[in-house]
Every structure is written in C-alpha cells, then in structure tokens.
Amino acid sequence: MKVLKFGGTSVGSVDSILSVKKIVEAIEEPVIVVVSALGGITDKLLKTASMATNGDVAYEREFSEIVARHLDVIQGVIPDKTKRIEVQKQVMALLDELGNIYKGVYLINDLSAKTSDTIVSYGERLSSGIVAAVLEGSRLYDAREFIRTKTDFGKHIAEPDLTEKLIRERLADRPRVSVVPGFIATGDVTNLGRGGSDYTAALIAAALNAETLEIWTDVDGFMTADPRVISDAYVIDRLSFEEAMELCNFGAKVVYPPTIFPVYHRDIPILIKNTFNPEAPGTFISRERVQGRDKAIKGISSINNTCLVTIQGLGMVGVIGVNHRIFRTLARAGISVFFVSQAASENTTSIGLRNEDADLAIAMLTREFAPEIEIGEVGSITAEHDLATIAVVGDDMKHTPGIAGKLFGTLGRNGINVIACTQGASETNISVVVTLESLPKAINVIHDSFFLSEYQVLNIFVAGVGQVGRDLLEQIRLQRRTLMADNGLQIRVVGIANSRKRLIDAEGIALNDCLRRLEEEGTPSTPESLRDEILALNIYNSVFVDCTASAEVAALYRSLLDHNVSVVASNKIA
C-alpha cells in the first residue's frame, strides 16, 4: 500500500487534477490519496475572512470567486452530466455553510481562532470531495474523524498514539483507492498548519505501515540549491532522512519538516515527485546513507529572515544554568530557535530566530536577566536584523577534513563576512549567518566551490575593446567549449566597456555580437561609473580585465581589489 499526497498546485486546475487521476489509476496496489486545497484557495479563504472581520462588504465578491473557482473545476473534470450535478450539489452545500460563517463574521466583526480554523478547513473538504468524484471507485474519508490534535504554544500538534489508533480503526476496511483531506484535524476543527497535508499523509503512512510515502508537488525533487538563485542547481536523486530534515529546517520547502519523523520512525521511505513531470525520477529519501560521488556536500539551504540575538556579559562565564534560563525563557514564550553559537569562554551566546520573534525574545530575556543586567554581570542583549542563515548539508562531511576550512576560505575570498557559525557533532550541517544582501553571492560561491555546479564559473568584466580586448573576447568565444569540456571551467563575460559605453549583464553576454550590442544598447560610461556598477552587482568569482591604456582605469584597481574583485592587467600605463 502507498500513500500519495498531492499539494495545492497539483490540484489547482482542471489539467492538474486530470494528471492526478492518471497517476493514481496507473498504480496497481492500494493507495490512499491525501489532497490539499485547490492552489491559492487557503490564502483566499483567509483574505475573505479578514475582509469580513473588518466589515468590508467586498468580502462577498471574494467569496463568489471561491464559489466560481470550484464550480469551474467540477465542470472541467467530471464529464458525466448526472455525476457532475450530484457533485455540484455536495460542493454547494459546503459552500453555503461557508457563506453563512462569513456572514456571521461580517455581522459581529470578530474572528476567533476556532472560527478561522473552521473557515480554512473548507479548502481541503471541498477539494477532496472533487478529487474523490474524479477517481473511479474511490471512497472519501473525513480526516476530522481520526487526526487528533492538542494545542502547544498556540499551535496544533498531532497526538500520535490516539491518532494512530483511530487511523487504524477508521481505515481498516478501505477500498483500493481512498481519498483523505489533508491539513484538517479533530472534531472541533483545527489544522496542522501550513504544509500540514504532508504531515497528515505521513501520520497515515506510519499508522498503516505503508510501503512508501509519495509527495507529489510542482518540482522534480530536492535541489542542490534554490533554483531562483542558482540557475544550474539540479535535483538530488537520493537523501538520508537526516539530510532531508536539515534541508527542510533551513528553508527548502519541498517537504513540511514534521512530515519526516513519523515515517522515519517506521523506516518508510519518502519519494518526492512532480505532478507535471511524472516521468522524472524525483528524490528518494530513506535511512540509507548514500555516498555523494566525491562531492562532500549534498545541498545548500537558507533562511532569509534571520535575526541574531546575542546575550553578552563577563558575569556569565562559568555560571551554571545560564543556557538553561535562556532556552527555558524562549520556550515559555513559544519562540523557536534554529541556530545557536556560543563562545568557549561562555561570555557570549548568540541565537538565531526569525525577525518577527526578535522583539518578544529580547523583552523576555531582558526580564529574565534583569538582576544580572542591573549589577553589570550581563552587559547587553542585542538583536541584529535582516540577516540570512545558510546551511551546508551532507552526510559525507562527517570525518572529512578541510570542509569547514574550504567553506570559510571560499566565503572570505569573495568578501563575504561570516557573522556567526555553528556545526553539530554529527557533522551533517555547517551553518553560517551572513548579511541578507550577500546571501545570493554566498550561495553561488559555495555551490560553485563544492562542485555542485557542473562547471566552475569565472565572471569576467572586460574594459577596453580595441585590438587587445577584441582578440581576448574572440579567444574566449573560441575556447569556451574546450574549457568547459576539458577543465570544467566556464568563462562568462558579464561586462564589456569602452571609453564611452558599457554593457553589463549578470547572466552573461553572447560574444558573437557583443560589440554591436555595446554600441546599440550600452549605457554612457566613465571609469568611475563602471567601477560602481561592478561593485553594486556584487557577483561571485569576478575578474576585471583591463585591456586599455588608461591611467584612469588603472586607478580603479585598488577599490576593486578591496572589494574582492580580482584584476588582470595588460595596461602598460598601470
């Protein structure tokens, strides 16, 4: 038996739901299909609730769009008229209930947590009914009958033992295809949070000892890095549970992090697949630790909205229980900490948390350490906002000398300052905190340095396109393929300039007509403005090549070198 979970984009349109039908019906063994709300509907439900709470009568228009979206999908996925009318009646009954709830919220201008949970539950209840009607011979189950939750710091978490017992009882006599709404739970409706449909599927898979948990989404699997930052990031074919958990916790949104533990506990592998590209092999996650084919790390993940809170004071040195007080205080406030770094002298402890938790964290810690602050034993509790945390993840890092040295050397050579760092004893994860503005550059240089990219890249700026500059550009054009094939090196020209104009493109400039483009598309340029744009671009592995005979261009070298831009000079004036 398999459990298949389909996310919002996988059930977001007529074509995607028909793809789900094709995928499920091609599987011979029994399956349980867990579905999210139609793509974008959860946000739409919450937006409509907010408008109704604020007395905005336009909530009715938003609600009518929700109704129309579901009816349009039914029209497209159920060709049989009789069956379509029956499904429309069932869906409209739920939508009428939802409409009455919105009306009540609008009239009293109040939205309790319980009412909000009830409202968003309709997303999965509606989508699961439609998907069940599309899958021939399937039976629809109500997750509220067997997913039980308890409240912890304002969040709903599953009660594992009771939930497992109820799943086994309720799903004992099931057909070949069963459909379950994800996300929602318990009799008084609660939910498992964003990404909770993954968690629902994992709880069911673990309770019923499934062969595999398949997460069907809109990407081919876990990537070596965020493809929006790294254009040549690629899919990781295999990960261990530990590697997947580390990547998820540090921003890789392929799987909701709590999903992993229930199936890890029962040794049930997870397969990440793409609904829109089902032929792609995806990413297979299991207990098996797979060697990375001479690559020390498997992937890079990051958390953008990082705040570093630092508690500092000589009075903390050698005092038993300081860390206990710090983490107890934050736990009581429901604040999650994902990064900890402490000086060996114990006089400084830095913790990484999300920006939105920083003010509460400082207030609670200031209150906790008020006596020590008053007498000067604790000097300050400060917060540094707008940072980013990068996690370099891989089981192969364990017992491999030089990984940390290579990481910090790579960042240092590219002028990226590491504000804080930490590594667990398991050696699966090295985490560093950098400024938010340096995040894209940092990820690029790490990805490049650890050979996760197919080629190592040099980003070249060529100043001067006279005889020497033209010949250099032509040699690069002719040698590019050979260098890539024989040396694994990609020389990418990202800027060219003459005494009047410059042409800059971070993605690379095609060299077959670059001089024409410089004349037709180039912007007015001076040596100083060229330098300023190069520094503002802040691109990794950058090299400035001076093919001029200009003293003004030679005068740029110092500031370029100070900003970690390498310089190659054929300028005899220099």
Side-chain angles (χ1 to χ4, degrees), residues 365-381:
L365 290 169
T366 300
R367 182 187 305 169
E368 171 68 23
F369 289 97
E372 288 85 353
I373 292 172
E374 185 175 354
I375 63 175
E377 288 186 355
V378 173
S380 60
I381 301 176

Side-chain angles (χ1 to χ4, degrees), residues 101-394:
I101 295 172
Y102 277 136
K103 187 173 182 179
V105 170
Y106 173 74
L107 290 173
I108 64 174
N109 297 132
D110 183 66
L111 181 66
S112 67
K114 180 178 178 180
T115 303
S116 179
D117 285 345
T118 301
I119 287 172
V120 294
S121 76
Y122 279 88
E124 275 70 17
R125 293 167 66 188
L126 290 162
S127 65
S128 59
I130 295 171
V131 172
V134 171
L135 300 176
E136 297 293 336
S138 68
R139 182 187 302 167
L140 177 63
Y141 290 85
D142 188 345
R144 295 172 298 173
E145 296 178 359
F146 46 81
I147 304 293
R148 288 288 187 262
T149 62
K150 59 184 178 181
T151 303
D152 191 14
F153 294 112
K155 297 179 181 179
H156 306 301
I157 60 173
E159 293 190 73
D161 294 338
L162 177 57
T163 294
E164 182 172 313
K165 174 177 177 293
L166 292 172
I167 289 172
R168 288 178 175 174
E169 291 174 355
R170 187 69 184 89
L171 299 179
D173 181 24
R174 60 185 183 276
R176 193 190 74 82
V177 179
S178 308
V179 178
V180 177
F183 181 67
I184 60 175
T186 206
D188 291 330
V189 183
T190 58
N191 64 67
L192 297 170
R194 290 302 181 102
S197 294
D198 288 2
Y199 193 26
T200 300
L203 291 169
I204 293 172
L208 300 177
N209 290 310
E211 173 192 349
T212 310
L213 168 60
E214 296 184 3
I215 305 290
W216 289 80
T217 180
D218 57 359
V219 295
D220 286 345
F222 274 91
M223 308 287 285
T224 51
D226 187 341
R228 294 169 298 182
V229 178
I230 307 292
S231 59
D232 56 354
Y234 57 87
V235 175
I236 307 169
D237 55 356
R238 297 179 73 94
L239 288 170
S240 69
F241 283 120
E242 289 84 358
E243 289 171 329
M245 178 64 84
E246 294 284 4
L247 289 170
C248 288
N249 275 327
F250 279 86
K253 296 177 180 173
V254 182
V255 176
Y256 181 53
T259 302
I260 295 173
F261 182 73
V263 290
Y264 163 79
H265 189 60
R266 297 290 168 85
D267 198 14
I268 298 169
I270 302 173
L271 181 60
I272 310 298
K273 294 281 284 180
N274 189 344
T275 307
F276 308 97
N277 185 22
E279 292 77 22
T283 299
F284 186 79
I285 304 168
S286 67
R287 281 192 177 176
E288 182 183 0
R289 295 178 182 269
V290 182
Q291 294 299 310
R293 302 176 191 153
D294 300 323
K295 294 179 180 177
I297 69 175
K298 286 284 186 67
I300 307 163
S301 195
S302 62
I303 298 175
N304 290 4
N305 66 328
T306 295
C307 177
L308 202 63
V309 173
T310 300
I311 303 99
Q312 190 171 22
L314 294 177
M316 295 163 54
V317 176
V319 177
I320 304 298
V322 171
N323 285 338
H324 168 70
R325 291 172 63 189
I326 292 171
F327 296 114
R328 180 190 62 191
T329 299
L330 296 174
R332 285 175 176 171
I335 296 172
S336 176
V337 174
F338 55 78
F339 180 99
V340 181
S341 179
Q342 183 179 39
S345 63
E346 301 180 53
N347 75 320
T348 301
T349 299
S350 296
I351 52 177
L353 39 82
R354 300 190 183 274
N355 280 311
E356 54 267 28
D357 291 331
D359 290 344
L360 177 59
I362 288 179
M364 298 300 292
L365 290 169
T366 300
R367 182 187 305 169
E368 171 68 23
F369 289 97
E372 288 85 353
I373 292 172
E374 185 175 354
I375 63 175
E377 288 186 355
V378 173
S380 60
I381 301 176
T382 59
E384 191 171 355
H385 294 269
D386 298 324
L387 305 175
T389 306
I390 301 172
V392 177
V393 175

Side-chain angles (χ1 to χ4, degrees), residues 250-539:
F250 279 86
K253 296 177 180 173
V254 182
V255 176
Y256 181 53
T259 302
I260 295 173
F261 182 73
V263 290
Y264 163 79
H265 189 60
R266 297 290 168 85
D267 198 14
I268 298 169
I270 302 173
L271 181 60
I272 310 298
K273 294 281 284 180
N274 189 344
T275 307
F276 308 97
N277 185 22
E279 292 77 22
T283 299
F284 186 79
I285 304 168
S286 67
R287 281 192 177 176
E288 182 183 0
R289 295 178 182 269
V290 182
Q291 294 299 310
R293 302 176 191 153
D294 300 323
K295 294 179 180 177
I297 69 175
K298 286 284 186 67
I300 307 163
S301 195
S302 62
I303 298 175
N304 290 4
N305 66 328
T306 295
C307 177
L308 202 63
V309 173
T310 300
I311 303 99
Q312 190 171 22
L314 294 177
M316 295 163 54
V317 176
V319 177
I320 304 298
V322 171
N323 285 338
H324 168 70
R325 291 172 63 189
I326 292 171
F327 296 114
R328 180 190 62 191
T329 299
L330 296 174
R332 285 175 176 171
I335 296 172
S336 176
V337 174
F338 55 78
F339 180 99
V340 181
S341 179
Q342 183 179 39
S345 63
E346 301 180 53
N347 75 320
T348 301
T349 299
S350 296
I351 52 177
L353 39 82
R354 300 190 183 274
N355 280 311
E356 54 267 28
D357 291 331
D359 290 344
L360 177 59
I362 288 179
M364 298 300 292
L365 290 169
T366 300
R367 182 187 305 169
E368 171 68 23
F369 289 97
E372 288 85 353
I373 292 172
E374 185 175 354
I375 63 175
E377 288 186 355
V378 173
S380 60
I381 301 176
T382 59
E384 191 171 355
H385 294 269
D386 298 324
L387 305 175
T389 306
I390 301 172
V392 177
V393 175
D395 285 334
D396 288 352
M397 296 194 303
K398 182 173 285 190
H399 308 312
T400 303
I403 297 296
K406 184 174 183 179
L407 172 63
F408 295 120
T410 297
L411 295 173
R413 281 194 305 275
N414 282 273
I416 299 164
N417 182 44
V418 174
I419 298 167
C421 62
T422 186
Q423 179 180 18
S426 68
E427 300 184 61
T428 302
N429 176 333
I430 301 176
S431 299
V432 296
V433 176
V434 299
T435 61
L436 188 57
E437 66 179 2
S438 65
L439 175 62
K441 185 178 181 181
I443 293 176
N444 268 288
V445 297
I446 296 169
H447 199 268
D448 187 74
S449 177
F450 282 92
F451 303 102
L452 292 181
S453 302
E454 187 175 359
Y455 306 105
Q456 288 197 290
V457 176
L458 284 181
N459 290 298
I460 309 293
F461 300 89
V462 178
V465 289
Q467 189 62 52
V468 175
R470 287 170 187 259
D471 283 356
L472 174 62
L473 292 171
E474 181 64 7
Q475 286 188 37
I476 292 173
R477 186 182 72 82
L478 294 173
Q479 296 277 347
R480 284 184 82 250
R481 290 176 182 259
T482 302
L483 289 169
M484 291 166 71
D486 295 348
N487 300 79
L489 176 65
Q490 181 181 5
I491 294 184
R492 183 165 59 193
V493 176
V494 294
I496 56 175
N498 57 26
S499 60
R500 298 172 292 104
K501 293 184 176 182
R502 67 178 182 272
L503 179 66
I504 305 288
D505 186 343
E507 299 302 316
I509 299 170
L511 298 183
N512 56 334
D513 68 341
C514 61
L515 299 181
R516 177 196 61 80
R517 286 189 60 199
L518 174 63
E519 288 301 320
E520 295 179 4
E521 303 172 25
T523 57
S525 182
T526 64
E528 292 74 20
S529 64
L530 174 62
R531 175 202 60 202
D532 292 345
E533 187 162 358
I534 291 171
L535 298 184
L537 194 60
N538 197 29
I539 200 167

Side-chain angles (χ1 to χ4, degrees), residues 5-30:
K5 179 265 177 178
F6 291 93
T9 52
S10 298
V11 293
S13 67
V14 170
D15 289 342
S16 60
I17 292 177
L18 293 177
S19 294
V20 170
K21 175 180 172 67
K22 186 176 179 180
I23 290 165
V24 172
E25 293 180 352
I27 299 173
E28 295 181 358
E29 56 262 69

